[in-house]
Amino acid sequence: MDAVSKTSPTTATLKVGDDSWELPILSGTIGPDVVDIGKLYGQTGMFTYDPGFTSTASCESQITYIDGDAGVLLYRGYPIEQLAENGDFLETCYLLLYGELPTAAQKADFDYRVTRHTMVHEQMSRFFHGFRRDAHPMAVLVASVGAMSAFYHDSTDISDPQQRMIASIRMIAKMPTLAAMAYKYSIGQPFVYPKNDLDYASNFLRMCFSVPCEEYKANPVLSRAIDRIFILHADHEQNASTSTVRLAGSSGANPFACIAAGIACLWGPAHGGANEAALKMLGEIGSVDRIPEYIKRAKDKNDPFRLMGFGHRVYKNYDPRAKIMQKTCHEVLGELGIKDDPLLDIAVELERIALQDEYFVERKLYPNIDFYSGITLRALGFPTAMFTVLFALARTVGWIGQWKEMIEDPGQRIGRPRQLYTGAVQRDYTSIARRK
Ligand code: SDX
């Protein structure tokens, strides 16, 4: 990634008819420059128009950098490959929140603080019992995280840095507990309390898979795998759910309500719901010899079918997380002695064919993080409906870190986009008697 050359122009000229305006160009440390249009409406009486925000930088941030063409993802400047290989998820959480890798003492203190916030208020367990057992776990998670605003009033004053940090720690610490409770509730098993002598990932797996009738022994290979999966999903610049959290937070809403809004947005199949949809798609394809039929459907403009787990708004190269996800998938299947998983065979063959097909090559459609995560999570024992819950669990630190960055930005204002109006011009009311 080349630093922006100092000879770049500092203003852009907008010409409309005989008028022209100079707009400032701002440069970051790396990545594209931006044209500052903050005063455009006041100067020109015009808005910019960018539905889907394909060319819009909504904020300044120092947390995560993506180079979509090069397939690069940095958390506070550190490549995702190095963090996933060398650190653990709570180290990544510390890095995203504080901006630097922790010293040994800082890491021990952070682990201690998170570990001692893992229990949820006992009343919350009754909250779960209001749901049908077959409620989608994402519906339960959206509701229970939103309900945290009703239980943790002492960390909802966003003007207090201390309360902002406590709310951040609480979110990171309690998400595994709430996620595990949503899973246990869906299978009719009793909730399992967290155990403070376990690491973050092992604690989560134990809360999901242990039962009162027998001891649960965490498998270190599987714990390491789920911990790495959390690192891969931790943050991703201004994606749809993070932008939702920022917009909700810009009104001054409390952090728990903002995270609940992010969870709701992540649920969509075009976003975090794609891991659940990708596994369902592989199941629907059913066998390698049916792949050409589905490739044809994915290319057919009249068919709404898309290859789930493929394509990305930013990555026009291989998603670096997908490569690590694929490696983790093979590790988990190997550890569990799963020699041939038919869905993995379909996924590998589907990827091979798609990456040679002109339609996908032309549009730079590569596997994204969701393509291999479903196979891995299913092998770990999670039902499909839990896949996006795990994504939300991991992404909570990214959401809360971006929320904190926004709240602590002195220039922060409520987000309020405008529109291109193409509806009716003003007209007068007619009584119902006179309507034809
Ligand atoms: C995540 O933003 C993030 O960072 C998100 C995320 C994160 O960590 O937060 O990375 C997580 O959400 C990953 C993406 C998971 N979604 C899926 O896997 C769903 C399948 N993918 C697509 O729906 C799509 O690729 C998106 C939504 C991911 C991106 O959509 P864009 O950028 O709006 O692209 P587009 O829809 O305009 O597609 C461009 C072209 C179109 O064809 P043309 O009209 O140009 O002929 O590519 C085609 C699309 O039809 N296309 C696909 C396709 N994805 C795009 N065709 C078939 N299968 C696909 N998966």
Side-chain angles (χ1 to χ4, degrees), residues 17-254:
D18 298 335
D19 295 327
S20 71
W21 296 271
E22 294 300 305
L23 301 171
I25 291 177
L26 309 176
S27 300
T29 40
I30 42 178
D33 287 350
V34 297
V35 178
D36 181 349
I37 56 164
K39 295 190 171 60
L40 183 77
Y41 178 58
Q43 289 171 337
T44 68
M46 286 190 285
F47 299 137
T48 56
Y49 183 63
D50 182 17
F53 309 122
T54 49
S55 305
T56 296
S58 61
C59 63
E60 176 181 341
S61 179
Q62 300 179 347
I63 298 176
T64 292
Y65 176 74
I66 303 172
D67 179 332
D69 294 327
V72 168
L73 169 58
L74 308 177
Y75 288 167
R76 299 286 190 177
Y78 295 96
I80 188 72
E81 296 84 351
Q82 295 178 23
L83 291 168
E85 192 58 39
N86 301 302
D88 68 15
F89 178 62
L90 286 188
E91 179 184 74
T92 289
C93 290
Y94 185 98
L95 173 66
L96 290 170
L97 284 179
Y98 290 98
E100 298 296 336
L101 287 170
T103 61
Q106 288 166 335
K107 177 71 168 51
D109 169 62
F110 187 74
D111 286 5
Y112 178 87
R113 285 189 287 148
V114 170
T115 303
R116 271 147 194 79
H117 276 285
T118 48
M119 277 176 69
V120 295
H121 192 293
E122 193 59 17
Q123 294 285 104
M124 287 202 87
S125 56
R126 291 210 212 131
F127 183 81
F128 278 75
H129 286 95
F131 291 98
R132 289 170 36 144
R133 290 278 177 178
D134 62 355
H136 194 293
M138 280 296 279
V140 176
L141 195 69
V142 170
S144 48
V145 170
M148 285 177 76
S149 325
F151 287 90
Y152 299 105
H153 292 292
D154 62 344
S155 58
T156 52
D157 174 359
I158 61 169
S159 63
D160 176 351
Q162 182 69 9
Q163 291 197 30
R164 289 201 296 268
M165 189 43 88
I166 292 174
S168 305
I169 296 283
R170 276 178 165 154
M171 278 307 335
I172 294 166
K174 296 180 194 309
M175 279 300 270
T177 310
L178 293 173
M181 289 169 79
Y183 172 56
K184 283 301 202 187
Y185 186 73
S186 73
I187 57 174
Q189 287 186 1
F191 297 140
V192 175
Y193 288 97
K195 258 172 74 64
N196 290 352
D197 58 355
L198 293 176
D199 63 77
Y200 191 87
S202 303
N203 213 352
F204 173 63
L205 290 176
R206 180 179 169 279
M207 288 191 282
C208 290
F209 298 123
S210 77
V211 288
C213 346
E214 57 191 47
E215 272 316 298
Y216 174 85
K217 198 164 167 352
N219 176 324
V221 174
L222 303 186
S223 295
R224 179 73 190 113
I226 198 80
D227 190 83
R228 190 183 305 134
I229 291 170
F230 290 163
I231 292 173
L232 296 180
H233 287 81
D235 193 45
H236 213 237
E237 202 211 64
Q238 304 311 318
N239 60 83
S241 52
T242 298
S243 300
T244 301
V245 170
R246 278 181 171 260
L247 198 54
S250 73
S251 74
N254 76 70

Side-chain angles (χ1 to χ4, degrees), residues 286-318:
S287 68
V288 167
D289 54 23
R290 293 187 63 196
I291 290 176
E293 172 197 334
Y294 281 84
I295 293 269
K296 189 160 170 281
R297 284 189 55 194
K299 291 154 65 171
D300 177 357
K301 285 285 155 260
N302 301 318
D303 189 328
F305 174 80
R306 285 195 160 181
L307 284 191
M308 301 316 280
F310 253 80
H312 197 278
R313 171 62 59 76
V314 176
Y315 288 122
K316 301 308 170 193
N317 197 327
Y318 217 99

